[in-house]
Every structure is written in structure tokens, then in C-alpha cells.
Amino acid sequence: MSRLLTLIVLGAAASAAACTLPTYEAEPVSVYQWERRQQAIERRQAERERLCRITGDEDPRKEELCRGVEREND
């Protein structure tokens, strides 16, 4: 019984520790990898700008979606 309890506690501790580890992303080593990385960053930024632009002012997510996006003066 105590062996089972120990395994459960260790399993829970291991799964909790896995959630707190930062994601590792290797640095690109070739020009092609750097270009792909930069293109991915640009696509994510363009998507954020698009979502900010199409989200209504009354939407509660507007502030979060537009954080870090330069807004045009309408």
C-alpha cells in the first residue's frame, strides 16, 4: 500500500514539474532556418494585427488581442 502511495505521489510531482519547465527551442543554425523563423514571427504578428482589427470594441478580448499591436488612427 505504501509503495503504491509513493508511486502516486512521485507521479504527481513529476507531472507538476513538467508543467513548469520552459519550452526549449533550439537556435537556428542555417540561413534557411533563420528565414523560416523570421517568416513565422511575421505571420504571427500579421495574425495578431488582423484579429485586433476585426475584433469589436465591445469584445472583452479586445485589449488582450491588441496588446503590442500598433493601432491606426481611424
Side-chain angles (χ1 to χ4, degrees), residues 36-48:
R36 287 189 58 203
R37 178 178 182 263
Q38 187 61 35
Q39 290 168 352
I41 291 169
E42 290 170 358
R43 280 192 305 273
R44 283 192 303 266
Q45 183 63 24
E47 179 64 9
R48 287 186 63 134

Side-chain angles (χ1 to χ4, degrees), residues 4-14:
L4 179 61
L5 182 60
T6 302
L7 289 175
I8 291 172
V9 169
L10 289 176

Side-chain angles (χ1 to χ4, degrees), residues 45 49 66 68-72:
Q45 183 63 24
E49 290 171 359
C66 293
V69 174
E70 289 189 29
R71 298 183 202 176
E72 297 177 8

Side-chain angles (χ1 to χ4, degrees), residues 18-31:
C19 293
T20 61
L21 294 175
T23 305
Y24 174 75
E25 184 177 329
E27 285 288 316
V29 292
S30 70
V31 173

